Amino acid sequence: MERTFLAIKPDGVQRGLVGEIIRRLETKGFTLVGLKLMSVSKELAESHYDVHRERPFFDSLVKFITSAPIVAMVWEGDGVVASARKIIGATNPLTSDPGTIRGDFGVSIGRNIIHGSDAVETAKREVALWFKDEELVNWQPQMTTWLYE
């Protein structure tokens, strides 16, 4: 099974959207294998956004993600990386489809509610960055036989 990293950003936590976001992913049939509410250190934020280090918005990304608690999550399922990205919606909430998390709740690109890994390799790096192996639970929900052949 594939895994992906998702993080409900400070705006999503502050707006009380944690339960709704988790509900959407559970309803889809994905399995939650890691979850923590946390304050993000500057060092962790800089590592996470390293790919954007040379971009003019890097400092504002780091400042925002460290401004208030986030909810870090690891989800598992068949094709979870691509499917979670569809559930999340486009980066810019103004162009994100209705029915997606960002399309339903986001209002600006700088406050777009949630982060999701954009590729399987990125997911592996991000899961390892945010979670220790012992923080992840390997389990199989009863509903699995109703989801996969």
Side-chain angles (χ1 to χ4, degrees), residues 35-58:
L35 174 74
K36 56 186 170 181
L37 174 69
M38 62 186 290
S39 295
V40 181
S41 70
K42 183 178 181 188
E43 295 75 26
L44 178 56
E46 287 176 345
S47 293
H48 177 76
Y49 288 123
D50 191 57
V51 68
H52 300 300
R53 189 172 294 276
E54 301 305 318
R55 295 207 150 125
F57 54 83
F58 176 77

PDB file of all heavy atoms in Angstrom, residues 35-58:
ATOM      1  N   LEU A  35      -0.780  10.339  13.121  1.00  0.00           N
ATOM      2  CA  LEU A  35      -1.503  11.583  13.395  1.00  0.00           C
ATOM      3  C   LEU A  35      -0.882  12.277  14.596  1.00  0.00           C
ATOM      4  O   LEU A  35      -0.649  11.637  15.623  1.00  0.00           O
ATOM      5  CB  LEU A  35      -2.974  11.269  13.694  1.00  0.00           C
ATOM      6  CG  LEU A  35      -3.872  12.417  14.139  1.00  0.00           C
ATOM      7  CD1 LEU A  35      -4.191  13.327  12.952  1.00  0.00           C
ATOM      8  CD2 LEU A  35      -5.167  11.866  14.726  1.00  0.00           C
ATOM      9  N   LYS A  36      -0.594  13.577  14.451  1.00  0.00           N
ATOM     10  CA  LYS A  36      -0.146  14.336  15.618  1.00  0.00           C
ATOM     11  C   LYS A  36      -0.415  15.821  15.432  1.00  0.00           C
ATOM     12  O   LYS A  36      -0.242  16.377  14.356  1.00  0.00           O
ATOM     13  CB  LYS A  36       1.322  14.076  15.949  1.00  0.00           C
ATOM     14  CG  LYS A  36       2.319  14.320  14.849  1.00  0.00           C
ATOM     15  CD  LYS A  36       3.708  13.872  15.322  1.00  0.00           C
ATOM     16  CE  LYS A  36       4.707  13.865  14.197  1.00  0.00           C
ATOM     17  NZ  LYS A  36       6.030  13.412  14.625  1.00  0.00           N
ATOM     18  N   LEU A  37      -0.870  16.423  16.529  1.00  0.00           N
ATOM     19  CA  LEU A  37      -1.010  17.869  16.623  1.00  0.00           C
ATOM     20  C   LEU A  37       0.326  18.376  17.119  1.00  0.00           C
ATOM     21  O   LEU A  37       0.853  17.861  18.105  1.00  0.00           O
ATOM     22  CB  LEU A  37      -2.115  18.229  17.620  1.00  0.00           C
ATOM     23  CG  LEU A  37      -2.294  19.714  17.936  1.00  0.00           C
ATOM     24  CD1 LEU A  37      -2.846  20.452  16.728  1.00  0.00           C
ATOM     25  CD2 LEU A  37      -3.218  19.887  19.141  1.00  0.00           C
ATOM     26  N   MET A  38       0.891  19.364  16.432  1.00  0.00           N
ATOM     27  CA  MET A  38       2.228  19.789  16.811  1.00  0.00           C
ATOM     28  C   MET A  38       2.516  21.229  16.434  1.00  0.00           C
ATOM     29  O   MET A  38       1.886  21.779  15.535  1.00  0.00           O
ATOM     30  CB  MET A  38       3.271  18.879  16.161  1.00  0.00           C
ATOM     31  CG  MET A  38       3.248  18.925  14.638  1.00  0.00           C
ATOM     32  SD  MET A  38       4.366  17.739  13.848  1.00  0.00           S
ATOM     33  CE  MET A  38       5.953  18.431  14.243  1.00  0.00           C
ATOM     34  N   SER A  39       3.458  21.798  17.151  1.00  0.00           N
ATOM     35  CA  SER A  39       4.047  23.069  16.767  1.00  0.00           C
ATOM     36  C   SER A  39       5.256  22.729  15.914  1.00  0.00           C
ATOM     37  O   SER A  39       6.013  21.808  16.238  1.00  0.00           O
ATOM     38  CB  SER A  39       4.485  23.853  18.001  1.00  0.00           C
ATOM     39  OG  SER A  39       3.362  24.200  18.776  1.00  0.00           O
ATOM     40  N   VAL A  40       5.446  23.449  14.830  1.00  0.00           N
ATOM     41  CA  VAL A  40       6.521  23.154  13.882  1.00  0.00           C
ATOM     42  C   VAL A  40       7.720  24.058  14.173  1.00  0.00           C
ATOM     43  O   VAL A  40       7.568  25.283  14.243  1.00  0.00           O
ATOM     44  CB  VAL A  40       6.039  23.354  12.430  1.00  0.00           C
ATOM     45  CG1 VAL A  40       7.145  23.017  11.437  1.00  0.00           C
ATOM     46  CG2 VAL A  40       4.791  22.524  12.154  1.00  0.00           C
ATOM     47  N   SER A  41       8.874  23.456  14.321  1.00  0.00           N
ATOM     48  CA  SER A  41      10.094  24.237  14.531  1.00  0.00           C
ATOM     49  C   SER A  41      10.519  24.896  13.222  1.00  0.00           C
ATOM     50  O   SER A  41      10.164  24.431  12.127  1.00  0.00           O
ATOM     51  CB  SER A  41      11.226  23.334  15.038  1.00  0.00           C
ATOM     52  OG  SER A  41      11.654  22.460  13.994  1.00  0.00           O
ATOM     53  N   LYS A  42      11.276  25.947  13.334  1.00  0.00           N
ATOM     54  CA  LYS A  42      11.789  26.633  12.144  1.00  0.00           C
ATOM     55  C   LYS A  42      12.645  25.673  11.312  1.00  0.00           C
ATOM     56  O   LYS A  42      12.561  25.662  10.082  1.00  0.00           O
ATOM     57  CB  LYS A  42      12.597  27.861  12.545  1.00  0.00           C
ATOM     58  CG  LYS A  42      13.094  28.654  11.364  1.00  0.00           C
ATOM     59  CD  LYS A  42      13.849  29.903  11.778  1.00  0.00           C
ATOM     60  CE  LYS A  42      14.298  30.650  10.522  1.00  0.00           C
ATOM     61  NZ  LYS A  42      15.194  31.749  10.829  1.00  0.00           N
ATOM     62  N   GLU A  43      13.440  24.842  11.981  1.00  0.00           N
ATOM     63  CA  GLU A  43      14.314  23.896  11.282  1.00  0.00           C
ATOM     64  C   GLU A  43      13.507  22.868  10.481  1.00  0.00           C
ATOM     65  O   GLU A  43      13.841  22.579   9.326  1.00  0.00           O
ATOM     66  CB  GLU A  43      15.228  23.173  12.288  1.00  0.00           C
ATOM     67  CG  GLU A  43      16.205  24.081  13.000  1.00  0.00           C
ATOM     68  CD  GLU A  43      15.579  24.949  14.098  1.00  0.00           C
ATOM     69  OE1 GLU A  43      14.541  24.563  14.673  1.00  0.00           O
ATOM     70  OE2 GLU A  43      16.132  26.040  14.356  1.00  0.00           O
ATOM     71  N   LEU A  44      12.453  22.335  11.079  1.00  0.00           N
ATOM     72  CA  LEU A  44      11.610  21.366  10.379  1.00  0.00           C
ATOM     73  C   LEU A  44      10.904  22.032   9.204  1.00  0.00           C
ATOM     74  O   LEU A  44      10.841  21.476   8.102  1.00  0.00           O
ATOM     75  CB  LEU A  44      10.588  20.741  11.337  1.00  0.00           C
ATOM     76  CG  LEU A  44       9.603  19.736  10.738  1.00  0.00           C
ATOM     77  CD1 LEU A  44      10.320  18.593  10.026  1.00  0.00           C
ATOM     78  CD2 LEU A  44       8.680  19.205  11.816  1.00  0.00           C
ATOM     79  N   ALA A  45      10.391  23.239   9.414  1.00  0.00           N
ATOM     80  CA  ALA A  45       9.711  23.973   8.336  1.00  0.00           C
ATOM     81  C   ALA A  45      10.663  24.233   7.167  1.00  0.00           C
ATOM     82  O   ALA A  45      10.297  24.041   6.000  1.00  0.00           O
ATOM     83  CB  ALA A  45       9.157  25.287   8.866  1.00  0.00           C
ATOM     84  N   GLU A  46      11.882  24.637   7.475  1.00  0.00           N
ATOM     85  CA  GLU A  46      12.862  24.908   6.416  1.00  0.00           C
ATOM     86  C   GLU A  46      13.233  23.637   5.664  1.00  0.00           C
ATOM     87  O   GLU A  46      13.394  23.663   4.444  1.00  0.00           O
ATOM     88  CB  GLU A  46      14.101  25.581   7.004  1.00  0.00           C
ATOM     89  CG  GLU A  46      13.850  27.014   7.400  1.00  0.00           C
ATOM     90  CD  GLU A  46      15.040  27.686   8.075  1.00  0.00           C
ATOM     91  OE1 GLU A  46      15.983  26.966   8.510  1.00  0.00           O
ATOM     92  OE2 GLU A  46      15.008  28.930   8.183  1.00  0.00           O
ATOM     93  N   SER A  47      13.335  22.520   6.360  1.00  0.00           N
ATOM     94  CA  SER A  47      13.610  21.239   5.700  1.00  0.00           C
ATOM     95  C   SER A  47      12.450  20.837   4.801  1.00  0.00           C
ATOM     96  O   SER A  47      12.645  20.386   3.671  1.00  0.00           O
ATOM     97  CB  SER A  47      13.859  20.141   6.730  1.00  0.00           C
ATOM     98  OG  SER A  47      15.043  20.381   7.433  1.00  0.00           O
ATOM     99  N   HIS A  48      11.241  21.002   5.318  1.00  0.00           N
ATOM    100  CA  HIS A  48      10.056  20.626   4.545  1.00  0.00           C
ATOM    101  C   HIS A  48       9.940  21.446   3.262  1.00  0.00           C
ATOM    102  O   HIS A  48       9.639  20.908   2.194  1.00  0.00           O
ATOM    103  CB  HIS A  48       8.797  20.810   5.399  1.00  0.00           C
ATOM    104  CG  HIS A  48       7.534  20.513   4.658  1.00  0.00           C
ATOM    105  ND1 HIS A  48       7.124  19.225   4.391  1.00  0.00           N
ATOM    106  CD2 HIS A  48       6.603  21.330   4.107  1.00  0.00           C
ATOM    107  CE1 HIS A  48       5.989  19.263   3.709  1.00  0.00           C
ATOM    108  NE2 HIS A  48       5.657  20.524   3.531  1.00  0.00           N
ATOM    109  N   TYR A  49      10.169  22.736   3.360  1.00  0.00           N
ATOM    110  CA  TYR A  49      10.033  23.632   2.204  1.00  0.00           C
ATOM    111  C   TYR A  49      11.345  23.869   1.467  1.00  0.00           C
ATOM    112  O   TYR A  49      11.457  24.805   0.678  1.00  0.00           O
ATOM    113  CB  TYR A  49       9.440  24.973   2.661  1.00  0.00           C
ATOM    114  CG  TYR A  49       7.976  24.901   3.017  1.00  0.00           C
ATOM    115  CD1 TYR A  49       7.531  25.286   4.276  1.00  0.00           C
ATOM    116  CD2 TYR A  49       7.027  24.461   2.093  1.00  0.00           C
ATOM    117  CE1 TYR A  49       6.187  25.228   4.608  1.00  0.00           C
ATOM    118  CE2 TYR A  49       5.691  24.400   2.413  1.00  0.00           C
ATOM    119  CZ  TYR A  49       5.272  24.787   3.671  1.00  0.00           C
ATOM    120  OH  TYR A  49       3.936  24.730   3.997  1.00  0.00           O
ATOM    121  N   ASP A  50      12.330  23.017   1.682  1.00  0.00           N
ATOM    122  CA  ASP A  50      13.654  23.206   1.090  1.00  0.00           C
ATOM    123  C   ASP A  50      13.620  23.404  -0.428  1.00  0.00           C
ATOM    124  O   ASP A  50      14.400  24.185  -0.974  1.00  0.00           O
ATOM    125  CB  ASP A  50      14.561  22.024   1.442  1.00  0.00           C
ATOM    126  CG  ASP A  50      15.995  22.297   1.089  1.00  0.00           C
ATOM    127  OD1 ASP A  50      16.544  23.301   1.585  1.00  0.00           O
ATOM    128  OD2 ASP A  50      16.577  21.515   0.299  1.00  0.00           O
ATOM    129  N   VAL A  51      12.725  22.734  -1.102  1.00  0.00           N
ATOM    130  CA  VAL A  51      12.613  22.850  -2.561  1.00  0.00           C
ATOM    131  C   VAL A  51      12.293  24.290  -2.989  1.00  0.00           C
ATOM    132  O   VAL A  51      12.579  24.698  -4.100  1.00  0.00           O
ATOM    133  CB  VAL A  51      11.564  21.849  -3.108  1.00  0.00           C
ATOM    134  CG1 VAL A  51      10.167  22.211  -2.668  1.00  0.00           C
ATOM    135  CG2 VAL A  51      11.652  21.751  -4.615  1.00  0.00           C
ATOM    136  N   HIS A  52      11.724  25.073  -2.078  1.00  0.00           N
ATOM    137  CA  HIS A  52      11.360  26.469  -2.368  1.00  0.00           C
ATOM    138  C   HIS A  52      12.352  27.478  -1.788  1.00  0.00           C
ATOM    139  O   HIS A  52      12.103  28.674  -1.828  1.00  0.00           O
ATOM    140  CB  HIS A  52       9.967  26.782  -1.799  1.00  0.00           C
ATOM    141  CG  HIS A  52       8.878  25.938  -2.362  1.00  0.00           C
ATOM    142  ND1 HIS A  52       8.571  25.914  -3.704  1.00  0.00           N
ATOM    143  CD2 HIS A  52       8.019  25.073  -1.761  1.00  0.00           C
ATOM    144  CE1 HIS A  52       7.567  25.079  -3.906  1.00  0.00           C
ATOM    145  NE2 HIS A  52       7.217  24.553  -2.754  1.00  0.00           N
ATOM    146  N   ARG A  53      13.471  26.995  -1.263  1.00  0.00           N
ATOM    147  CA  ARG A  53      14.425  27.851  -0.543  1.00  0.00           C
ATOM    148  C   ARG A  53      14.834  29.099  -1.330  1.00  0.00           C
ATOM    149  O   ARG A  53      14.987  30.178  -0.763  1.00  0.00           O
ATOM    150  CB  ARG A  53      15.658  27.062  -0.144  1.00  0.00           C
ATOM    151  CG  ARG A  53      16.573  27.833   0.799  1.00  0.00           C
ATOM    152  CD  ARG A  53      17.695  26.972   1.340  1.00  0.00           C
ATOM    153  NE  ARG A  53      17.236  25.898   2.202  1.00  0.00           N
ATOM    154  CZ  ARG A  53      16.978  26.031   3.503  1.00  0.00           C
ATOM    155  NH1 ARG A  53      17.130  27.196   4.084  1.00  0.00           N
ATOM    156  NH2 ARG A  53      16.575  25.002   4.215  1.00  0.00           N
ATOM    157  N   GLU A  54      14.996  28.998  -2.617  1.00  0.00           N
ATOM    158  CA  GLU A  54      15.458  30.139  -3.427  1.00  0.00           C
ATOM    159  C   GLU A  54      14.312  31.021  -3.925  1.00  0.00           C
ATOM    160  O   GLU A  54      14.551  32.032  -4.568  1.00  0.00           O
ATOM    161  CB  GLU A  54      16.289  29.637  -4.616  1.00  0.00           C
ATOM    162  CG  GLU A  54      17.509  28.818  -4.214  1.00  0.00           C
ATOM    163  CD  GLU A  54      18.435  29.559  -3.246  1.00  0.00           C
ATOM    164  OE1 GLU A  54      18.672  30.768  -3.460  1.00  0.00           O
ATOM    165  OE2 GLU A  54      18.916  28.919  -2.283  1.00  0.00           O
ATOM    166  N   ARG A  55      13.107  30.652  -3.633  1.00  0.00           N
ATOM    167  CA  ARG A  55      11.953  31.432  -4.087  1.00  0.00           C
ATOM    168  C   ARG A  55      11.669  32.584  -3.130  1.00  0.00           C
ATOM    169  O   ARG A  55      11.936  32.490  -1.924  1.00  0.00           O
ATOM    170  CB  ARG A  55      10.742  30.527  -4.203  1.00  0.00           C
ATOM    171  CG  ARG A  55      10.941  29.463  -5.284  1.00  0.00           C
ATOM    172  CD  ARG A  55       9.596  29.092  -5.788  1.00  0.00           C
ATOM    173  NE  ARG A  55       9.622  28.691  -7.156  1.00  0.00           N
ATOM    174  CZ  ARG A  55       9.145  27.530  -7.580  1.00  0.00           C
ATOM    175  NH1 ARG A  55       8.646  26.679  -6.712  1.00  0.00           N
ATOM    176  NH2 ARG A  55       9.160  27.244  -8.851  1.00  0.00           N
ATOM    177  N   PRO A  56      11.079  33.670  -3.643  1.00  0.00           N
ATOM    178  CA  PRO A  56      10.847  34.846  -2.801  1.00  0.00           C
ATOM    179  C   PRO A  56       9.851  34.599  -1.661  1.00  0.00           C
ATOM    180  O   PRO A  56       9.878  35.317  -0.662  1.00  0.00           O
ATOM    181  CB  PRO A  56      10.317  35.894  -3.775  1.00  0.00           C
ATOM    182  CG  PRO A  56       9.943  35.168  -5.011  1.00  0.00           C
ATOM    183  CD  PRO A  56      10.720  33.890  -5.033  1.00  0.00           C
ATOM    184  N   PHE A  57       9.010  33.587  -1.771  1.00  0.00           N
ATOM    185  CA  PHE A  57       7.985  33.333  -0.749  1.00  0.00           C
ATOM    186  C   PHE A  57       8.433  32.333   0.314  1.00  0.00           C
ATOM    187  O   PHE A  57       7.666  32.009   1.222  1.00  0.00           O
ATOM    188  CB  PHE A  57       6.672  32.874  -1.391  1.00  0.00           C
ATOM    189  CG  PHE A  57       6.810  31.685  -2.310  1.00  0.00           C
ATOM    190  CD1 PHE A  57       6.823  30.390  -1.816  1.00  0.00           C
ATOM    191  CD2 PHE A  57       6.909  31.875  -3.685  1.00  0.00           C
ATOM    192  CE1 PHE A  57       6.940  29.303  -2.659  1.00  0.00           C
ATOM    193  CE2 PHE A  57       7.028  30.778  -4.544  1.00  0.00           C
ATOM    194  CZ  PHE A  57       7.051  29.491  -4.023  1.00  0.00           C
ATOM    195  N   PHE A  58       9.682  31.847   0.247  1.00  0.00           N
ATOM    196  CA  PHE A  58      10.171  30.840   1.193  1.00  0.00           C
ATOM    197  C   PHE A  58      10.014  31.289   2.647  1.00  0.00           C
ATOM    198  O   PHE A  58       9.465  30.559   3.477  1.00  0.00           O
ATOM    199  CB  PHE A  58      11.637  30.497   0.904  1.00  0.00           C
ATOM    200  CG  PHE A  58      12.244  29.537   1.886  1.00  0.00           C
ATOM    201  CD1 PHE A  58      11.958  28.182   1.827  1.00  0.00           C
ATOM    202  CD2 PHE A  58      13.100  29.985   2.882  1.00  0.00           C
ATOM    203  CE1 PHE A  58      12.515  27.289   2.731  1.00  0.00           C
ATOM    204  CE2 PHE A  58      13.663  29.106   3.797  1.00  0.00           C
ATOM    205  CZ  PHE A  58      13.374  27.756   3.720  1.00  0.00           C
TER     206      PHE A  58
END
